[in-house]
Amino acid sequence: MAQSYTAPKGTHDLVGASAAGWDFLQETARTIFSRYGYASIYTPLFENTEVFTRGIGEATDVVGKEMYTFEDRGGRSLTLRPENTAGVVRAAIQANLCVDGASAKLYYAGPQFRYERPQKGRQRQFYQVGAESLGNTSPLADAEMIMMLWDYFLALGLKPRQMTLLVNSMGDETCRPAYRDKVAAYLRLHADKLCEDCVRRADTNPLRAFDCKKESCRVVMDGAPALKDSLCDDCRAHNDAVLSVLDAAGLKYQLDPKLVRGLDYYTRTVFEIQVNEGLGTQNAIGGGGRYDGLFQDLGGKPTPSIGFAVGAERIMLALDAAGIDYAASTQKVIYVAAAAEAQREAALSMAMELRGRGLIALCDLQDRSLKSQFKQADKAGAAFVLIMGEDEVARGGVTIRNMESKEERFVTLGGIVKMLTN
């Protein structure tokens, strides 16, 4: 007996509703992001490892614990992408997209890879939609990026009351080093109450302690110094300008001094959108921030930029909780049924005619009985069944059944195409 195989741990097949959901997320992204002037970009699934170690930061959990790194036959160290921003920046540098002060707006969708414990909404191969605004230092770019992400979730069907927008500033190379030292000192002072990871973070990446999910650490971090009290004048002015634009747009937000992003490249504005139900305490469905030094870290010229990423699996859980049927097709399905063998070619020709007019048309390819064809039509969610029997073919038309009302009537071939395409 042949061995039966399953998907590797931490991965899942996108099939049926999950495949339809991923299509929905991508199609909605294409619609919304293009309105803001974004164009698509496709980068490799793996990069030279240094793209991530230099870009993300060696002290991050992603680089230290979660990357899938391997050596190819040429002895080169390669890594499956754990996130896509560093790869997009590498591609922008390679393609000279932002030379001489030029800017670029790019978006992507695809799988990412992190070795971590699989759980609800979190997989080792997971899917993200993201956007990057490259080469723009203005706080207007920050505010527009946040508003575009908000618009994206609205277009998916979530309501403003179901979401919370969190905003913070992480400072820059002028003011953040001193603040990091303050937080590190605070962590050492309370080391006896912190988890092992947070104790280690005092020496590697102290700000990541704000993002620890252990309740004991969260209690300790509630009393930690706030970065807003340590911002330099430029960062404070930038943050105030971002918030002013959001206020003018009527977009409600909460200032969260504990909001940090887990990757070292973030500076100044960081943001996150959470849902109020469906994901428990792990309720973030998307977020991002500004990364003004990442181009230089990867060998490019200074290019201030900002971006975000959203997790497909977590969004679909949030849509499920909100009762949003993301798998439903917006187009009506038409099923063309042949009453007997003699009408099968005519049924297929009719299906091809309807497809040529932009309709979704199905027909039987397995010599099923008429009764079985109706069952297939019902399973496919067909709105109408076009019945082609000997009498219909002789009269140059079809009998159309409305699958909801069960009403039937004869329509000529020319009339049916006109009726279904109007």
Side-chain angles (χ1 to χ4, degrees):
M1 181 176 179
Q3 182 175 350
S4 177
Y5 294 97
T6 59
K9 182 178 180 180
T11 70
H12 60 290
D13 300 307
L14 297 181
V15 61
S18 60
W22 177 231
D23 289 341
F24 176 53
L25 298 187
Q26 294 179 88
E27 290 163 4
T28 304
R30 185 175 297 109
T31 299
I32 299 301
F33 299 168
S34 63
R35 294 176 186 172
Y36 285 77
Y38 283 74
S40 56
I41 183 173
Y42 304 91
T43 61
L45 292 182
F46 57 89
E47 298 272 356
N48 292 314
T49 299
E50 283 194 358
V51 169
F52 302 118
T53 56
R54 293 186 61 184
I56 297 175
E58 294 192 28
T60 62
D61 287 349
V62 171
V63 172
K65 299 179 178 181
E66 299 172 359
M67 294 203 314
Y68 281 94
T69 298
F70 58 97
E71 190 174 280
D72 71 3
R73 294 182 180 181
R76 292 172 287 265
S77 180
L78 302 173
T79 296
L80 296 178
R81 62 188 188 195
E83 59 91 52
N84 217 25
T85 298
V88 169
V89 168
R90 189 272 310 150
I93 295 171
Q94 186 173 341
N96 295 316
L97 295 184
C98 298
V99 297
D100 300 325
S103 60
K105 289 182 170 182
L106 305 169
Y107 77 92
Y108 60 85
Q112 322 294 326
F113 307 86
R114 296 186 188 181
Y115 186 85
E116 55 184 347
R117 183 173 63 85
Q119 53 187 294
K120 184 180 180 181
R122 191 181 297 275
Q123 299 290 319
R124 290 176 176 175
Q125 176 177 312
F126 57 100
Y127 292 80
Q128 283 188 339
V129 170
E132 315 293 345
S133 178
L134 311 176
N136 197 326
T137 189
S138 170
L140 290 173
D142 303 37
E144 184 187 70
M145 179 67 74
I146 293 171
M147 290 188 287
M148 185 172 79
L149 179 57
W150 189 261
D151 280 352
Y152 177 61
F153 287 133
L154 292 179
L156 293 177
L158 293 172
K159 307 297 183 185
R161 58 179 172 77
Q162 296 172 317
M163 300 183 288
T164 300
L165 169 62
L166 305 178
V167 183
N168 191 26
S169 175
M170 292 186 67
D172 61 12
E173 67 279 358
T174 300
C175 53
R176 188 160 58 180
Y179 176 68
R180 284 169 54 96
D181 291 342
K182 289 182 181 179
V183 175
Y186 180 84
L187 294 177
R188 295 186 184 102
L189 184 64
H190 297 84
D192 59 323
K193 301 176 184 176
L194 297 171
C195 70
E196 183 179 329
D197 282 341
C198 284
V199 171
R200 174 179 51 82
R201 287 169 178 147
D203 297 316
T204 59
N205 195 353
L207 301 189
R208 285 290 289 138
F210 284 107
D211 202 33
C212 184
K213 302 302 185 258
K214 292 184 171 60
E215 184 60 29
S216 58
C217 295
R218 294 171 71 91
V219 171
V220 171
M221 297 311 294
D222 283 340
L227 179 55
K228 64 182 179 64
D229 300 324
S230 301
L231 292 177
C232 62
D233 291 342
D234 286 345
C235 286
R236 191 180 305 279
H238 186 98
N239 190 51
D240 289 345
V242 173
L243 300 181
S244 177
V245 177
L246 296 180
D247 288 336
L251 184 53
K252 295 182 179 180
Y253 57 86
Q254 292 181 13
L255 297 176
D256 185 353
K258 296 188 294 182
L259 176 63
V260 297
R261 304 299 297 173
L263 311 179
D264 278 359
Y265 53 61
Y266 284 114
T267 58
R268 293 192 172 177
T269 306
V270 290
F271 55 93
E272 185 172 279
I273 293 180
Q274 301 177 348
V275 288
N276 303 328
E277 57 184 29
L279 294 180
T281 57
Q282 304 285 328
N283 58 348
I285 54 174
R290 177 166 285 281
Y291 47 92
D292 289 347
L294 183 54
F295 271 75
Q296 290 167 276
D297 291 340
L298 295 181
K301 295 181 179 180
T303 308
S305 303
I306 186 169
F308 66 70
V310 301
E313 291 82 2
R314 301 176 71 76
I315 293 174
M316 283 189 268
L317 288 173
L319 297 181
D320 287 338
I324 298 169
D325 185 7
Y326 50 79
S329 173
T330 57
Q331 283 188 275
K332 289 184 173 64
V333 176
I334 314 299
Y335 193 100
V336 186
E341 177 65 29
Q343 290 85 49
R344 293 196 186 280
E345 288 187 7
L348 179 57
S349 295
M350 170 57 68
M352 293 300 295
E353 170 74 11
L354 296 176
R355 292 164 185 163
R357 301 299 185 98
L359 296 172
I360 300 174
L362 309 177
C363 65
D364 176 48
L365 302 176
Q366 298 184 35
D367 298 330
R368 292 185 177 94
S369 66
L370 186 59
K371 181 178 180 180
S372 294
Q373 290 178 68
F374 270 102
K375 289 182 178 179
Q376 287 296 310
D378 190 56
K379 184 177 180 181
F384 301 99
V385 173
L386 310 185
I387 306 167
M388 302 192 76
E390 183 177 356
D391 182 57
E392 283 84 3
V393 173
R395 296 171 61 190
V398 298
T399 297
I400 179 170
R401 173 182 287 191
N402 185 312
M403 293 295 283
E404 183 176 357
S405 67
K406 307 304 180 185
E407 294 179 356
E408 294 185 359
R409 63 189 176 105
F410 178 82
V411 182
T412 63
L413 294 181
I416 192 65
V417 171
K418 184 177 179 179
M419 184 185 82
L420 295 175
T421 54
N422 286 339

